[in-house]
Each structure stands twice: as structure tokens, then as C-alpha cells.
Amino acid sequence: MPSKAFTMGLNSIMKAEKIVILVYGENKKEALDALLSGEVTEDNPASVLNNHKDVTIIADTAAIGE
């Protein structure tokens, strides 16, 4: 398992002990909202992170929508 990566497969990501996601920009708001909805769907591959035990999301106000 790589210690750092810009892109990885979901299987490798889910094996990580801790996941930190940086989200910035208004164009990511919809994807972040879908992730935070809690529903795991094929339409939003990142939604599988709802099944991980330790995920930290850091987002700017544009991505949050405030």
C-alpha cells in the first residue's frame, strides 16, 4: 500500500487505516453533498467512504456551500 497517492483504486483506499480528503471549490459541492448524505451508490464512487471507520474531510466554504 502506498503511503501517499494522488489517485488510487477504491479497494486500496478502503484498506487504509485513516483517510483524509481535501475538498475545495464550488464545483465540488454536489459531490461533497452526495458523499455526506450517507447513501452508498454506484453513481458516487466516493460514497463507499461512508463504510470506512476513520475518514476526515477538510473542505473550504465554497465546497460546503456557506
Side-chain angles (χ1 to χ4, degrees), residues 5-62:
F6 284 108
T7 62
M8 293 176 66
L10 290 175
N11 190 37
S12 296
I13 292 170
M14 292 301 287
K15 289 179 182 177
E17 291 181 28
K18 180 168 187 64
I19 298 171
V20 178
I21 302 172
L22 302 174
V23 184
Y24 61 93
E26 186 176 342
N27 61 331
K28 301 297 184 199
K29 182 181 179 339
E30 186 177 332
L32 181 59
D33 288 345
L35 172 61
L36 296 176
S37 76
E39 182 180 359
V40 177
T41 68
E42 289 183 11
D43 293 335
N44 183 8
S47 66
V48 74
L49 296 174
N50 285 297
N51 295 330
H52 195 278
K53 62 183 168 103
D54 192 357
V55 178
T56 300
I57 299 172
I58 301 169
D60 68 358
T61 55

